[in-house]
Amino acid sequence: MTKNKDRQMLKKCIDKNATDVFKDANCEHPLDQDIIRILKGLCDKITEDSDDYYIFRFRQDTIDPLWKELIEKAIKCLRYCDRREPFKEAEILGKKKVPKAYGINELKEYYDKYAEFERLLYGSNRYYRDHVVHVFRTWLSGTMLLVKNKGEYLDKLCLNEKDYEVRLSRVEKLSMWTMIALTHDLGYPLQKAKSIIDTTRSMVSTFIANPDISMDLSFHGVQNYMNDFIVRLMSSKMVKYKKVKTEENEEGKEVQLYAARLQPKYYFKFQKSLENNSHGILSTLIIYKLLTYFLESDYSINEDYAFDPEDQRQFYIRREILRAIASHTCNDIYQLYMTSFSFLLRICDDTQEWGRKNISELYVSQSQDYELKDIDLYEDENNSYICTVEEEFTVSETLEVISLINRLREQSLIYVTIFRDGQDTGTRETLINSNYSM
């Protein structure tokens, strides 16, 4: 029997090699001892011969509370590492100041409603799959890659900008990944709700001619302005503005200031995604409006609005979280680097297929089985980045073989689209290998 995949990944995320990756961290973070203890408790409840659906037993009492705590830890970590915040300075002075994750209760309230609403979503499509445990597994899969080989890929993971490097600590990268992975599907109910209304209208029409059933998911007035602001933020970049001397700089050296500039191509692509109610960009609107961490983002494209180096760094952290989430359902955005958060989300999201039962499988035993053997992201001796995904599909009926081949073909066409050639892809050194066994 195949060993339980959830248990395998949990063990890799809580062993000593994984915890040593963040041993120098001196703040709360998404793999600190509190989280390790919870993950270990969950791992101990799952045996190696448990089936792929066994983890659903622990959704309400373990995974749901853990979802909130992981995001809370991530926000606290990011705030602690923000040099504009008072926490590090207070620590140096021997004072006790602890960062808070404001808005987390409101986000958890939305999450609970989302989890409850998912029961209805199973009726929206015969192939609808779980999206509650799914996001935890996506986080688990990516975290395993980050701690693998003593954090080798974690150290390569970065914000790719042409003119300068945005420096991030290991715990900041882990916290960013945690935010991305656990919130990337929050907009899914809003995208799928229309299908429920359409199904209801079709059913009611059997005994009421032309039933008046509708739901308007469009945005109006101030909502449009708010959404446009968020889309503009995630569609912008920083450029060097001017150098100035500051009183804080004891050596009298000049400090580089930056200005924000809108990237029209990103802006239009994300606007198109919003027009289509794609759940990725809807998820960004949800977390931006509910979490104070995002509400306090500094952003303006006015000519005289200057950002100092830490302002610029914090802008990119928030922008990258939002952009990675929005991009995972926007195939107009092409992937340039294998060392980006956007790429990591795509790979972990697509390969999280074990134990995602759909409604047609609730009553009929399926002869098709899926096993994720391994995911590997590494740099070879030629300095080329290679991603290898090894999967095994077990099918016994001819129709299922045809269905599987069509599904893999559709997936490959998506990869052809998002890894297509475009501006700056000439510098890309990435190899994507998918090994399928049937």
Side-chain angles (χ1 to χ4, degrees), residues 49-176:
D49 59 353
S50 297
D51 63 45
D52 286 336
Y53 309 106
Y54 193 76
I55 196 172
F56 285 84
R57 295 170 179 251
F58 312 106
R59 204 203 82 185
Q60 289 187 325
D61 63 344
T62 303
I63 295 177
D64 286 355
L66 180 59
W67 181 90
K68 176 188 175 183
E69 188 162 356
L70 283 169
I71 295 178
E72 190 170 7
K73 295 272 189 184
I75 295 174
K76 287 181 177 180
C77 177
L78 291 172
R79 292 193 64 196
Y80 178 85
C81 295
D82 186 342
R83 291 191 285 271
R84 305 169 305 176
E85 300 257 21
F87 307 110
K88 281 189 176 181
E89 185 178 349
E91 192 174 84
I92 294 173
L93 297 174
K95 298 179 181 179
K96 186 68 174 178
K97 268 187 174 292
V98 180
K100 304 291 184 183
Y102 298 106
I104 188 66
N105 291 330
E106 289 80 359
L107 186 65
K108 180 59 165 62
E109 184 179 344
Y110 173 86
Y111 172 88
D112 290 338
K113 292 177 180 178
Y114 169 27
E116 181 68 20
F117 188 63
E118 189 173 51
R119 293 187 303 166
L120 296 178
L121 291 179
Y122 273 102
S124 66
N125 190 304
R126 62 178 297 193
Y127 299 112
Y128 176 84
R129 290 182 179 272
D130 153 74
H131 280 78
V132 176
V133 174
H134 162 71
V135 296
F136 172 71
R137 281 168 157 169
T138 300
W139 174 81
L140 198 62
S141 179
T143 302
M144 181 194 70
L145 291 172
L146 295 183
V147 300
K148 198 173 185 178
N149 299 324
K150 300 180 180 180
E152 182 178 312
Y153 177 72
L154 175 65
D155 291 336
K156 299 289 184 181
L157 195 63
C158 61
L159 302 181
N160 295 280
E161 290 297 325
K162 288 183 180 179
D163 301 327
Y164 39 79
E165 178 185 1
V166 181
R167 295 185 177 275
L168 300 169
S169 66
R170 281 182 163 184
V171 288
E172 283 180 306
K173 293 177 184 179
L174 173 65
S175 297
M176 291 173 66

Side-chain angles (χ1 to χ4, degrees), residues 75 78-79 102 291-297 314 317-318:
I75 295 174
L78 291 172
R79 292 193 64 196
Y102 298 106
L291 294 175
T292 305
Y293 175 77
F294 289 103
L295 290 175
E296 294 186 346
S297 302
Q314 293 300 325
I317 288 174
R318 289 163 170 82

Side-chain angles (χ1 to χ4, degrees), residues 300-350:
S300 175
I301 58 173
N302 292 340
E303 290 291 334
D304 59 348
Y305 196 100
F307 297 78
D308 68 24
E310 185 62 13
D311 292 334
Q312 176 243 34
R313 198 177 78 90
Q314 293 300 325
F315 165 83
Y316 272 119
I317 288 174
R318 289 163 170 82
R319 189 210 71 173
E320 195 67 12
I321 293 172
L322 299 173
R323 185 177 282 192
I325 294 172
S327 297
H328 95 278
T329 55
C330 183
N331 294 337
D332 291 321
I333 304 290
Y334 56 82
Q335 299 288 332
L336 269 174
Y337 306 103
M338 207 180 80
T339 53
S340 70
F341 288 92
S342 181
F343 178 90
L344 180 61
L345 178 60
R346 276 282 188 170
I347 293 300
C348 294
D349 189 34
D350 289 345

Side-chain angles (χ1 to χ4, degrees), residues 201-419:
R201 182 188 297 110
S202 176
M203 180 185 68
V204 174
S205 66
T206 60
F207 60 92
I208 299 177
N210 300 317
D212 184 15
I213 301 175
S214 64
M215 182 174 66
D216 185 5
L217 286 177
S218 60
F219 299 98
H220 303 282
V222 68
Q223 292 176 333
N224 269 330
Y225 290 112
M226 294 170 66
N227 295 341
D228 186 66
F229 178 87
I230 298 170
V231 174
R232 284 176 177 270
L233 186 152
M234 74 173 75
S235 305
S236 296
K237 67 175 182 178
M238 290 287 177
V239 297
K240 291 180 179 178
Y241 179 40
K242 62 181 179 180
K243 291 185 177 181
V244 297
K245 290 184 179 180
T246 61
E247 295 180 0
E248 292 81 3
N249 195 326
E250 298 177 357
E251 299 178 0
K253 293 181 180 179
E254 292 183 326
V255 174
Q256 179 69 59
L257 298 182
Y258 301 87
R261 294 292 180 264
L262 185 69
Q263 296 175 275
K265 288 187 297 184
Y266 276 98
Y267 178 65
F268 191 84
K269 290 173 182 178
F270 285 139
Q271 285 282 29
K272 178 183 172 185
S273 187
L274 181 58
E275 180 185 41
N276 293 330
N277 277 333
S278 297
H279 70 268
I281 198 164
L282 292 176
S283 299
T284 66
L285 303 182
I286 292 167
I287 64 172
Y288 197 104
K289 293 178 180 180
L290 293 182
L291 294 175
T292 305
Y293 175 77
F294 289 103
L295 290 175
E296 294 186 346
S297 302
D298 285 323
Y299 173 69
S300 175
I301 58 173
N302 292 340
E303 290 291 334
D304 59 348
Y305 196 100
F307 297 78
D308 68 24
E310 185 62 13
D311 292 334
Q312 176 243 34
R313 198 177 78 90
Q314 293 300 325
F315 165 83
Y316 272 119
I317 288 174
R318 289 163 170 82
R319 189 210 71 173
E320 195 67 12
I321 293 172
L322 299 173
R323 185 177 282 192
I325 294 172
S327 297
H328 95 278
T329 55
C330 183
N331 294 337
D332 291 321
I333 304 290
Y334 56 82
Q335 299 288 332
L336 269 174
Y337 306 103
M338 207 180 80
T339 53
S340 70
F341 288 92
S342 181
F343 178 90
L344 180 61
L345 178 60
R346 276 282 188 170
I347 293 300
C348 294
D349 189 34
D350 289 345
T351 55
Q352 201 291 283
E353 285 296 314
W354 70 92
R356 294 188 72 190
K357 182 169 281 192
N358 58 49
I359 192 169
S360 64
E361 296 172 324
L362 296 178
Y363 310 105
V364 181
S365 176
Q366 298 292 304
S367 55
Q368 180 175 320
D369 192 24
Y370 169 83
E371 180 184 356
L372 175 63
K373 293 285 189 179
D374 190 33
I375 310 174
D376 205 1
L377 300 168
Y378 61 94
E379 185 179 6
D380 69 5
E381 61 276 5
N382 299 319
N383 296 322
S384 293
Y385 289 101
I386 299 176
C387 174
T388 300
V389 179
E390 185 179 354
E391 303 169 290
E392 182 175 295
F393 298 87
T394 303
V395 292
S396 60
E397 298 180 9
T398 303
L399 290 178
E400 288 186 348
V401 173
I402 297 173
S403 175
L404 176 60
I405 292 174
N406 288 334
R407 181 176 134 207
L408 294 177
R409 180 178 178 276
E410 291 175 4
Q411 185 67 60
S412 67
L413 290 176
I414 292 175
Y415 286 147
V416 168
T417 301
I418 64 176
F419 298 121

